[in-house]
Amino acid sequence: MKDTIISAATKRRELYILLACFVVANIVNWAAIIKFSTPWYEIFTQIGYVIVTTCLLYGLLLIVRIAWWVFTNLLKKK
């Protein structure tokens, strides 16, 4: 089997995308805290939900990125 090499730039880009998903999930959490007038300590107590939401956002974004890659490669081959 061949080894795959992932460049540092690719790792950095994926980390930035994951960080952006985490920030979006936190903003959604803050908006829910404000909307439902719940105590602010829920920022810390709901971190598990924020992490799960981050993973879901990252997964959805990954699916969209793969679909876009397939679509653009199909157009290039024609």
Side-chain angles (χ1 to χ4, degrees):
M1 286 190 139
K2 288 177 80 174
D3 290 337
T4 28
I5 298 172
I6 301 173
S7 68
T10 302
K11 291 177 190 177
R12 196 175 309 116
R13 182 186 68 225
E14 293 302 316
L15 186 61
Y16 288 150
I17 292 170
L18 185 62
L19 180 64
C21 290
F22 183 73
V23 168
V24 168
N26 266 307
I27 290 172
V28 169
N29 188 29
W30 297 342
I33 288 171
I34 292 169
K35 181 178 180 183
F36 296 110
S37 301
T38 57
W40 280 99
Y41 63 80
E42 286 199 12
I43 289 175
F44 305 108
T45 60
Q46 300 300 319
I47 195 70
Y49 293 115
V50 171
I51 291 173
V52 168
T53 305
T54 300
C55 293
L56 288 173
L57 286 172
Y58 186 77
L60 287 172
L61 192 57
L62 186 63
I63 290 169
V64 169
R65 290 168 55 204
I66 290 172
W68 179 257
W69 179 79
V70 168
F71 180 71
T72 55
N73 280 343
L74 286 176
L75 287 180
K76 286 180 184 176
K77 289 184 180 186
K78 285 188 176 182

